[in-house]
């Protein structure tokens, strides 16, 4: 599902947490499937350690798609926030911003002591 949904590799990757034997056999080789928590969501999926694939129960494909959409939205928000912060830093480093800060303190350079 992730390969079909995402072109970018950084968005792919079934992050596996809390692997345990599921008790259900692989439909191909009958080895016990391994269940895991998908990306720390409240979603438990199963896969065959012999490489026969991931096995989803009814409705789990929709739940995986929802989790992927939520992850994509979070990545977009993160990208927007990082771009906004970079823009803020760029403006703070601009000469006009530095002049505004100097003017805030009376345009005096250094010293900071009382007038003579």
């Amino acid at each position: 599902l992730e390969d079909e949904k995402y072109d970018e590799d950084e968005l792919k990757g079934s992050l596996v947490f809390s692997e345990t034997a599921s008790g259900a056999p692989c439909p191909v080789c009958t080895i016990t499937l391994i269940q895991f928590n998908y990306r720390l969501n409240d979603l438990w999926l199963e896969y065959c350690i012999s490489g026969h694939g991931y096995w989803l129960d009814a409705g789990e494909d929709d739940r995986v798609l929802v989790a992927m959409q939520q992850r994509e939205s979070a990545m977009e928000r993160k990208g927007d926030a990082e771009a906004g912060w970079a823009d803020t830093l760029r403006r703070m480093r601009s000469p006009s911003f530095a002049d505004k800060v100097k003017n805030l303190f009376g345009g005096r350079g250094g010293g900071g002591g009382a007038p003579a």
Side-chain angles (χ1 to χ4, degrees), residues 76-91:
E76 288 172 5
R77 282 193 310 274
K78 178 181 180 265
D80 291 346
E82 288 174 352
W85 181 242
D87 185 51
T88 299
L89 289 176
R90 190 181 74 254
R91 281 186 276 133

Side-chain angles (χ1 to χ4, degrees), residues 43-60:
L43 178 58
W44 290 87
L45 304 178
E46 297 169 311
Y47 73 95
C48 175
I49 59 172
S50 296
H52 294 121
Y54 291 83
W55 301 93
L56 283 68
D57 295 332
E60 286 181 337

